[in-house]
Amino acid sequence: FHNRRLTEENYQKLLELVQTARYSEAQELLSEIVSQEDRSVEKSELTFSLQLLAGLELLTAEKNLEALELFDAALAEDRSNVNAWNFRGVALDELGRHEEAIESFDCALSIKPDDYVAWACKGIALARLERYEEALKSYDSAISIYPNYHKAWNNRGNSLDSLGRYEWAIGS
């Protein structure tokens, strides 16, 4: 992010909370981040970050279309922002626009190939399209980057189960 308020750690946590529908926890974290606002940040940087934060707040309130509009506005300012692409992907996925979500996650991954949350979110979108083999590859990519990412392991097991690979699913 362009300022200090939303660190990479907080970003990863927020994305995970939103993707797992833990909206009240995400709202609490957002409130904490906003309360720590750095007043010395330039207005353009603040505007960009506030668009992302406002979009996240809308995601936590399950107002996905409105959130998408803010993420699109943020991307109009900075198309190289991985976080905006990922949040856009989550909003699209929640709207049932899974193919577009995958495209957004791919944009994020083209900028930051080691973004394990983007790989896992892409896997979720692929699984929702019943493209389980591709989803497995995405989960495997996430796990290769962050082996302790339990959400990717869990979703990997669910995809294996959907493919009828029950023994493999249990081990996942």
Side-chain angles (χ1 to χ4, degrees), residues 79-98:
R79 301 213 38 95
S80 67
N81 189 283
V82 173
N83 303 319
W85 283 113
N86 279 331
F87 293 142
R88 182 179 189 273
V90 171
L92 287 164
D93 199 46
E94 292 299 316
L95 287 166
R97 294 163 58 182
H98 309 300

PDB file of all heavy atoms in Angstrom, residues 79-98:
ATOM      1  N   ARG A  79      -2.912   0.752 -11.804  1.00  0.00           N
ATOM      2  CA  ARG A  79      -3.198  -0.592 -12.307  1.00  0.00           C
ATOM      3  C   ARG A  79      -2.182  -1.626 -11.838  1.00  0.00           C
ATOM      4  O   ARG A  79      -2.363  -2.814 -12.062  1.00  0.00           O
ATOM      5  CB  ARG A  79      -3.260  -0.575 -13.833  1.00  0.00           C
ATOM      6  CG  ARG A  79      -4.345   0.378 -14.285  1.00  0.00           C
ATOM      7  CD  ARG A  79      -5.085   0.057 -15.516  1.00  0.00           C
ATOM      8  NE  ARG A  79      -5.447  -1.272 -15.861  1.00  0.00           N
ATOM      9  CZ  ARG A  79      -6.620  -1.845 -15.587  1.00  0.00           C
ATOM     10  NH1 ARG A  79      -7.521  -1.216 -14.866  1.00  0.00           N
ATOM     11  NH2 ARG A  79      -6.891  -3.051 -16.029  1.00  0.00           N
ATOM     12  N   SER A  80      -1.138  -1.168 -11.162  1.00  0.00           N
ATOM     13  CA  SER A  80      -0.117  -2.107 -10.689  1.00  0.00           C
ATOM     14  C   SER A  80      -0.295  -2.475  -9.221  1.00  0.00           C
ATOM     15  O   SER A  80       0.567  -3.121  -8.639  1.00  0.00           O
ATOM     16  CB  SER A  80       1.276  -1.519 -10.913  1.00  0.00           C
ATOM     17  OG  SER A  80       1.467  -0.393 -10.083  1.00  0.00           O
ATOM     18  N   ASN A  81      -1.419  -2.104  -8.628  1.00  0.00           N
ATOM     19  CA  ASN A  81      -1.629  -2.372  -7.212  1.00  0.00           C
ATOM     20  C   ASN A  81      -2.225  -3.764  -7.014  1.00  0.00           C
ATOM     21  O   ASN A  81      -3.391  -4.015  -7.343  1.00  0.00           O
ATOM     22  CB  ASN A  81      -2.524  -1.308  -6.585  1.00  0.00           C
ATOM     23  CG  ASN A  81      -2.564  -1.445  -5.089  1.00  0.00           C
ATOM     24  OD1 ASN A  81      -3.236  -2.324  -4.559  1.00  0.00           O
ATOM     25  ND2 ASN A  81      -1.815  -0.610  -4.406  1.00  0.00           N
ATOM     26  N   VAL A  82      -1.408  -4.654  -6.490  1.00  0.00           N
ATOM     27  CA  VAL A  82      -1.812  -6.050  -6.275  1.00  0.00           C
ATOM     28  C   VAL A  82      -3.028  -6.136  -5.362  1.00  0.00           C
ATOM     29  O   VAL A  82      -3.954  -6.923  -5.608  1.00  0.00           O
ATOM     30  CB  VAL A  82      -0.630  -6.845  -5.672  1.00  0.00           C
ATOM     31  CG1 VAL A  82      -1.055  -8.244  -5.279  1.00  0.00           C
ATOM     32  CG2 VAL A  82       0.521  -6.884  -6.641  1.00  0.00           C
ATOM     33  N   ASN A  83      -3.046  -5.348  -4.319  1.00  0.00           N
ATOM     34  CA  ASN A  83      -4.141  -5.412  -3.354  1.00  0.00           C
ATOM     35  C   ASN A  83      -5.474  -5.064  -4.009  1.00  0.00           C
ATOM     36  O   ASN A  83      -6.475  -5.738  -3.767  1.00  0.00           O
ATOM     37  CB  ASN A  83      -3.860  -4.464  -2.186  1.00  0.00           C
ATOM     38  CG  ASN A  83      -2.547  -4.791  -1.527  1.00  0.00           C
ATOM     39  OD1 ASN A  83      -2.216  -5.946  -1.342  1.00  0.00           O
ATOM     40  ND2 ASN A  83      -1.770  -3.767  -1.199  1.00  0.00           N
ATOM     41  N   ALA A  84      -5.480  -4.031  -4.836  1.00  0.00           N
ATOM     42  CA  ALA A  84      -6.715  -3.633  -5.506  1.00  0.00           C
ATOM     43  C   ALA A  84      -7.206  -4.756  -6.429  1.00  0.00           C
ATOM     44  O   ALA A  84      -8.410  -5.040  -6.477  1.00  0.00           O
ATOM     45  CB  ALA A  84      -6.503  -2.343  -6.286  1.00  0.00           C
ATOM     46  N   TRP A  85      -6.294  -5.397  -7.150  1.00  0.00           N
ATOM     47  CA  TRP A  85      -6.693  -6.511  -8.017  1.00  0.00           C
ATOM     48  C   TRP A  85      -7.273  -7.664  -7.198  1.00  0.00           C
ATOM     49  O   TRP A  85      -8.288  -8.261  -7.583  1.00  0.00           O
ATOM     50  CB  TRP A  85      -5.504  -7.022  -8.841  1.00  0.00           C
ATOM     51  CG  TRP A  85      -5.170  -6.147 -10.007  1.00  0.00           C
ATOM     52  CD1 TRP A  85      -4.033  -5.399 -10.178  1.00  0.00           C
ATOM     53  CD2 TRP A  85      -5.968  -5.911 -11.175  1.00  0.00           C
ATOM     54  NE1 TRP A  85      -4.078  -4.721 -11.375  1.00  0.00           N
ATOM     55  CE2 TRP A  85      -5.250  -5.023 -12.010  1.00  0.00           C
ATOM     56  CE3 TRP A  85      -7.206  -6.374 -11.603  1.00  0.00           C
ATOM     57  CZ2 TRP A  85      -5.754  -4.587 -13.240  1.00  0.00           C
ATOM     58  CZ3 TRP A  85      -7.705  -5.935 -12.821  1.00  0.00           C
ATOM     59  CH2 TRP A  85      -6.979  -5.053 -13.623  1.00  0.00           C
ATOM     60  N   ASN A  86      -6.639  -7.975  -6.073  1.00  0.00           N
ATOM     61  CA  ASN A  86      -7.139  -9.072  -5.239  1.00  0.00           C
ATOM     62  C   ASN A  86      -8.501  -8.762  -4.640  1.00  0.00           C
ATOM     63  O   ASN A  86      -9.402  -9.607  -4.655  1.00  0.00           O
ATOM     64  CB  ASN A  86      -6.137  -9.411  -4.138  1.00  0.00           C
ATOM     65  CG  ASN A  86      -5.021 -10.289  -4.635  1.00  0.00           C
ATOM     66  OD1 ASN A  86      -5.190 -11.072  -5.552  1.00  0.00           O
ATOM     67  ND2 ASN A  86      -3.862 -10.152  -4.041  1.00  0.00           N
ATOM     68  N   PHE A  87      -8.661  -7.560  -4.105  1.00  0.00           N
ATOM     69  CA  PHE A  87      -9.950  -7.197  -3.515  1.00  0.00           C
ATOM     70  C   PHE A  87     -11.039  -7.164  -4.592  1.00  0.00           C
ATOM     71  O   PHE A  87     -12.168  -7.575  -4.357  1.00  0.00           O
ATOM     72  CB  PHE A  87      -9.868  -5.858  -2.797  1.00  0.00           C
ATOM     73  CG  PHE A  87      -8.984  -5.889  -1.576  1.00  0.00           C
ATOM     74  CD1 PHE A  87      -8.180  -4.809  -1.273  1.00  0.00           C
ATOM     75  CD2 PHE A  87      -8.946  -6.977  -0.727  1.00  0.00           C
ATOM     76  CE1 PHE A  87      -7.367  -4.818  -0.144  1.00  0.00           C
ATOM     77  CE2 PHE A  87      -8.138  -6.998   0.401  1.00  0.00           C
ATOM     78  CZ  PHE A  87      -7.350  -5.906   0.690  1.00  0.00           C
ATOM     79  N   ARG A  88     -10.674  -6.689  -5.778  1.00  0.00           N
ATOM     80  CA  ARG A  88     -11.609  -6.694  -6.901  1.00  0.00           C
ATOM     81  C   ARG A  88     -12.023  -8.139  -7.206  1.00  0.00           C
ATOM     82  O   ARG A  88     -13.200  -8.423  -7.439  1.00  0.00           O
ATOM     83  CB  ARG A  88     -10.959  -6.052  -8.126  1.00  0.00           C
ATOM     84  CG  ARG A  88     -11.857  -5.973  -9.339  1.00  0.00           C
ATOM     85  CD  ARG A  88     -11.115  -5.294 -10.516  1.00  0.00           C
ATOM     86  NE  ARG A  88     -12.024  -5.017 -11.604  1.00  0.00           N
ATOM     87  CZ  ARG A  88     -12.313  -5.892 -12.574  1.00  0.00           C
ATOM     88  NH1 ARG A  88     -11.760  -7.094 -12.579  1.00  0.00           N
ATOM     89  NH2 ARG A  88     -13.152  -5.551 -13.541  1.00  0.00           N
ATOM     90  N   GLY A  89     -11.056  -9.039  -7.211  1.00  0.00           N
ATOM     91  CA  GLY A  89     -11.358 -10.444  -7.462  1.00  0.00           C
ATOM     92  C   GLY A  89     -12.313 -11.030  -6.437  1.00  0.00           C
ATOM     93  O   GLY A  89     -13.244 -11.768  -6.787  1.00  0.00           O
ATOM     94  N   VAL A  90     -12.112 -10.683  -5.178  1.00  0.00           N
ATOM     95  CA  VAL A  90     -13.007 -11.179  -4.122  1.00  0.00           C
ATOM     96  C   VAL A  90     -14.421 -10.648  -4.350  1.00  0.00           C
ATOM     97  O   VAL A  90     -15.401 -11.402  -4.256  1.00  0.00           O
ATOM     98  CB  VAL A  90     -12.480 -10.794  -2.716  1.00  0.00           C
ATOM     99  CG1 VAL A  90     -13.516 -11.115  -1.646  1.00  0.00           C
ATOM    100  CG2 VAL A  90     -11.171 -11.509  -2.425  1.00  0.00           C
ATOM    101  N   ALA A  91     -14.535  -9.361  -4.653  1.00  0.00           N
ATOM    102  CA  ALA A  91     -15.861  -8.780  -4.883  1.00  0.00           C
ATOM    103  C   ALA A  91     -16.552  -9.463  -6.062  1.00  0.00           C
ATOM    104  O   ALA A  91     -17.731  -9.831  -5.978  1.00  0.00           O
ATOM    105  CB  ALA A  91     -15.742  -7.277  -5.131  1.00  0.00           C
ATOM    106  N   LEU A  92     -15.820  -9.650  -7.150  1.00  0.00           N
ATOM    107  CA  LEU A  92     -16.394 -10.316  -8.325  1.00  0.00           C
ATOM    108  C   LEU A  92     -16.811 -11.749  -7.996  1.00  0.00           C
ATOM    109  O   LEU A  92     -17.879 -12.204  -8.410  1.00  0.00           O
ATOM    110  CB  LEU A  92     -15.385 -10.312  -9.479  1.00  0.00           C
ATOM    111  CG  LEU A  92     -15.179  -8.963 -10.161  1.00  0.00           C
ATOM    112  CD1 LEU A  92     -13.908  -8.981 -10.999  1.00  0.00           C
ATOM    113  CD2 LEU A  92     -16.395  -8.601 -11.011  1.00  0.00           C
ATOM    114  N   ASP A  93     -15.971 -12.450  -7.256  1.00  0.00           N
ATOM    115  CA  ASP A  93     -16.279 -13.822  -6.891  1.00  0.00           C
ATOM    116  C   ASP A  93     -17.551 -13.877  -6.043  1.00  0.00           C
ATOM    117  O   ASP A  93     -18.409 -14.734  -6.250  1.00  0.00           O
ATOM    118  CB  ASP A  93     -15.095 -14.457  -6.156  1.00  0.00           C
ATOM    119  CG  ASP A  93     -15.160 -15.971  -6.160  1.00  0.00           C
ATOM    120  OD1 ASP A  93     -15.433 -16.559  -7.230  1.00  0.00           O
ATOM    121  OD2 ASP A  93     -14.933 -16.567  -5.098  1.00  0.00           O
ATOM    122  N   GLU A  94     -17.679 -12.965  -5.103  1.00  0.00           N
ATOM    123  CA  GLU A  94     -18.873 -12.924  -4.258  1.00  0.00           C
ATOM    124  C   GLU A  94     -20.119 -12.566  -5.061  1.00  0.00           C
ATOM    125  O   GLU A  94     -21.230 -12.942  -4.686  1.00  0.00           O
ATOM    126  CB  GLU A  94     -18.681 -11.936  -3.103  1.00  0.00           C
ATOM    127  CG  GLU A  94     -17.646 -12.377  -2.087  1.00  0.00           C
ATOM    128  CD  GLU A  94     -18.001 -13.703  -1.418  1.00  0.00           C
ATOM    129  OE1 GLU A  94     -19.171 -13.900  -1.039  1.00  0.00           O
ATOM    130  OE2 GLU A  94     -17.101 -14.553  -1.293  1.00  0.00           O
ATOM    131  N   LEU A  95     -19.939 -11.848  -6.175  1.00  0.00           N
ATOM    132  CA  LEU A  95     -21.058 -11.508  -7.048  1.00  0.00           C
ATOM    133  C   LEU A  95     -21.407 -12.653  -8.008  1.00  0.00           C
ATOM    134  O   LEU A  95     -22.331 -12.538  -8.803  1.00  0.00           O
ATOM    135  CB  LEU A  95     -20.726 -10.247  -7.863  1.00  0.00           C
ATOM    136  CG  LEU A  95     -20.726  -8.938  -7.079  1.00  0.00           C
ATOM    137  CD1 LEU A  95     -20.056  -7.835  -7.891  1.00  0.00           C
ATOM    138  CD2 LEU A  95     -22.153  -8.538  -6.701  1.00  0.00           C
ATOM    139  N   GLY A  96     -20.641 -13.735  -7.929  1.00  0.00           N
ATOM    140  CA  GLY A  96     -20.881 -14.863  -8.815  1.00  0.00           C
ATOM    141  C   GLY A  96     -20.240 -14.703 -10.182  1.00  0.00           C
ATOM    142  O   GLY A  96     -20.484 -15.498 -11.086  1.00  0.00           O
ATOM    143  N   ARG A  97     -19.406 -13.705 -10.322  1.00  0.00           N
ATOM    144  CA  ARG A  97     -18.717 -13.437 -11.589  1.00  0.00           C
ATOM    145  C   ARG A  97     -17.317 -14.066 -11.511  1.00  0.00           C
ATOM    146  O   ARG A  97     -16.308 -13.388 -11.504  1.00  0.00           O
ATOM    147  CB  ARG A  97     -18.693 -11.934 -11.832  1.00  0.00           C
ATOM    148  CG  ARG A  97     -20.093 -11.382 -12.054  1.00  0.00           C
ATOM    149  CD  ARG A  97     -20.237  -9.885 -11.905  1.00  0.00           C
ATOM    150  NE  ARG A  97     -19.397  -9.123 -12.788  1.00  0.00           N
ATOM    151  CZ  ARG A  97     -19.342  -7.785 -12.777  1.00  0.00           C
ATOM    152  NH1 ARG A  97     -20.109  -7.106 -11.938  1.00  0.00           N
ATOM    153  NH2 ARG A  97     -18.544  -7.142 -13.590  1.00  0.00           N
ATOM    154  N   HIS A  98     -17.299 -15.380 -11.462  1.00  0.00           N
ATOM    155  CA  HIS A  98     -16.087 -16.131 -11.164  1.00  0.00           C
ATOM    156  C   HIS A  98     -15.002 -15.997 -12.235  1.00  0.00           C
ATOM    157  O   HIS A  98     -13.822 -15.889 -11.899  1.00  0.00           O
ATOM    158  CB  HIS A  98     -16.427 -17.601 -10.905  1.00  0.00           C
ATOM    159  CG  HIS A  98     -17.524 -17.784  -9.903  1.00  0.00           C
ATOM    160  ND1 HIS A  98     -17.433 -17.317  -8.604  1.00  0.00           N
ATOM    161  CD2 HIS A  98     -18.744 -18.354 -10.015  1.00  0.00           C
ATOM    162  CE1 HIS A  98     -18.551 -17.603  -7.970  1.00  0.00           C
ATOM    163  NE2 HIS A  98     -19.359 -18.235  -8.799  1.00  0.00           N
TER     164      HIS A  98
END
